Amino acid sequence: MMGAARQGRGVRGCLWLLGILGGSWIAGQADTLYTVRAGDTLWGIARRFQVPLPKLLEVNGLAEDSLLHPGQRLRIPSTSAPEPSTHRERLWVRASDVVLRSLPSTQGKRLALLARGTPVEGLAKVGQWWKVRTPSGQVGYVAGWLMGSEPPAEEAPSGFVMASRAYVRQGPSLESPPLTLLPRGTKVTLVAEEGGWYRVLLKDGRQGWMHMSTLRTGHAPSPPTSGGSRIVQIALRYLGTPYRYGGSSSRGTDCSGFVVLVFRSLGISLPHSAAAQFQRGKAVAKEDLRPGDLVFFQNTYVRGISHVGLYLGEGKFIHASVRGHKVRVDSLSDPYYASHYAGARRVALE
């Protein structure tokens, strides 16, 4: 009897252990494992994966005041994840260099870059993401809005950063917070235009806004002289500065004062007069203009040389405009400026 009892307890113990191991294995198959990074919080992780915080705490045996450590592994309950749609369809990549990720989140590992026009098989829709299979058989997740149900008709227009660096902002305004800073020559996809701004698509899938003066459309810009690049970089910092007659500071400036302000930052002193600045440097033909050259206009509000700006490239120039009441970008082909154009000068920085 005693032997039979011990044998029964042994069988029950084995069954109990098997049940525990089986439950752990099933949970491991269903849940996602996330590795904590520096700066992560429990609330932030729960929000990122759309998981109720109490559920996240429960499955990991944590309390709300538990401390997280980089490298710590957390289980993300699958029961709270969006139910995937199993509808399959043929999809095409709509943008250039779209990131294929290991998870339906920007926190997922980068698996590959997909070229614009790549055909993929849409396996399932998970929230705002598509689970896809690439032509090579690789499976991962792509942001849904970067995919289309038809091949793209033509190459999306591109722009290249023209200045040494340029901000991508969250909205089409100089007051809008920066999203990121791009170096010269960076390629972006142009999505839309609005009031002197381009809505752009970045390689990582984010969208933002860039002022038209900071981009060159078409082909990548040829490197300007180092001096011209520095002049443009400094000039663009003052976009939106109020126009103030006689001024030469970030609080307000007139046209020649704006040129004085930019060159002062480079250690060069110029007279606070458009007519006097027209006597500096060397003359440049219009077809030989380079970024950083001074462009002059005549007979605007008085006879003779009366207005000055700085050439940016692509037929655009930046200036303190009395007509626009601020530092802004205009085109040399604008009928008003074309009719008053007087010439250009190049001031050496050395």
Side-chain angles (χ1 to χ4, degrees):
M1 291 291 292
M2 292 292 291
R6 283 195 297 271
Q7 185 178 6
R9 285 195 297 271
V11 171
R12 287 194 297 273
C14 289
L15 290 174
W16 175 82
L17 180 60
L18 183 60
I20 292 295
L21 292 175
S24 175
W25 179 81
I26 292 171
Q29 291 293 312
D31 295 347
T32 297
L33 286 178
Y34 174 74
T35 302
V36 175
R37 303 179 182 182
D40 275 343
T41 64
L42 286 166
W43 180 85
I45 294 171
R47 183 180 180 187
R48 182 183 308 157
F49 288 96
Q50 301 178 7
V51 176
L53 181 57
K55 185 68 174 177
L56 180 66
L57 298 176
E58 177 187 350
V59 299
N60 289 282
L62 300 173
E64 288 192 31
D65 58 353
S66 295
L67 296 178
L68 298 180
H69 307 283
Q72 182 178 349
R73 306 268 284 183
L74 295 181
R75 284 172 51 194
I76 308 298
S78 61
T79 54
S80 300
E83 287 295 325
S85 164
T86 56
H87 174 66
R88 297 190 178 192
E89 62 179 272
R90 191 70 162 168
L91 300 171
W92 282 264
V93 177
R94 293 172 48 196
S96 301
D97 297 332
V98 170
V99 179
L100 180 73
R101 297 188 181 274
S102 61
L103 295 172
S105 162
T106 54
Q107 303 301 314
K109 180 182 177 182
R110 294 165 63 106
L111 301 178
L113 288 178
L114 304 180
R116 186 173 187 272
T118 300
V120 297
E121 181 184 5
L123 302 177
K125 193 76 184 295
V126 184
Q128 300 299 313
W129 293 73
W130 267 103
K131 183 178 183 180
V132 301
R133 179 182 288 114
T134 69
S136 65
Q138 192 171 24
V139 175
Y141 296 88
V142 177
W145 63 272
L146 295 175
M147 310 303 295
S149 57
E150 296 181 358
E154 58 184 25
E155 181 66 25
S158 298
F160 297 85
V161 176
M162 186 170 61
S164 296
R165 294 181 299 172
Y167 280 110
V168 181
R169 298 186 180 274
Q170 296 178 22
S173 166
L174 291 171
E175 287 72 39
S176 181
L179 183 65
T180 188
L181 188 63
L182 301 180
R184 176 180 170 79
T186 302
K187 181 181 178 181
V188 296
T189 300
L190 307 181
V191 178
E193 296 182 21
E194 181 179 320
W197 293 77
Y198 284 121
R199 187 177 184 183
V200 300
L201 172 65
L202 307 181
K203 285 187 176 182
D204 61 7
R206 292 181 295 172
Q207 287 199 32
W209 295 85
M210 299 185 70
H211 196 274
M212 289 182 177
S213 64
T214 64
L215 293 174
R216 176 174 181 170
T217 57
H219 303 288
S222 55
T225 61
S226 59
S229 177
R230 289 157 62 194
I231 293 170
V232 168
Q233 180 183 4
I234 293 171
L236 290 173
R237 296 176 188 170
Y238 296 101
L239 269 174
T241 298
Y243 180 90
R244 182 164 65 87
Y245 182 77
S248 182
S249 75
S250 58
R251 295 187 299 274
T253 182
D254 59 18
C255 66
S256 58
F258 172 59
V259 174
V260 168
L261 178 62
V262 171
F263 277 82
R264 183 194 302 149
S265 300
L266 296 167
I268 294 176
S269 177
L270 291 178
H272 194 155
S273 161
Q277 290 173 5
F278 191 61
Q279 305 302 316
R280 297 297 183 94
K282 67 175 184 178
V284 179
K286 196 171 186 179
E287 59 270 20
D288 294 327
L289 282 171
R290 295 180 188 172
D293 289 344
L294 280 65
V295 287
F296 293 89
F297 306 87
Q298 60 189 352
N299 306 329
T300 54
Y301 69 98
V302 293
R303 292 187 62 81
I305 301 298
S306 53
H307 190 62
V308 62
L310 293 168
Y311 187 65
L312 296 174
E314 292 292 294
K316 298 175 183 177
F317 71 103
I318 184 171
H319 62 134
S321 169
V322 66
R323 300 169 71 201
H325 310 295
K326 62 183 177 182
V327 174
R328 54 182 276 177
V329 173
D330 280 300
S331 173
L332 291 177
S333 62
D334 178 284
Y336 177 82
Y337 295 110
S339 64
H340 290 278
Y341 184 79
R345 311 289 292 188
R346 183 170 299 149
V347 177
L349 299 187
E350 290 74 28

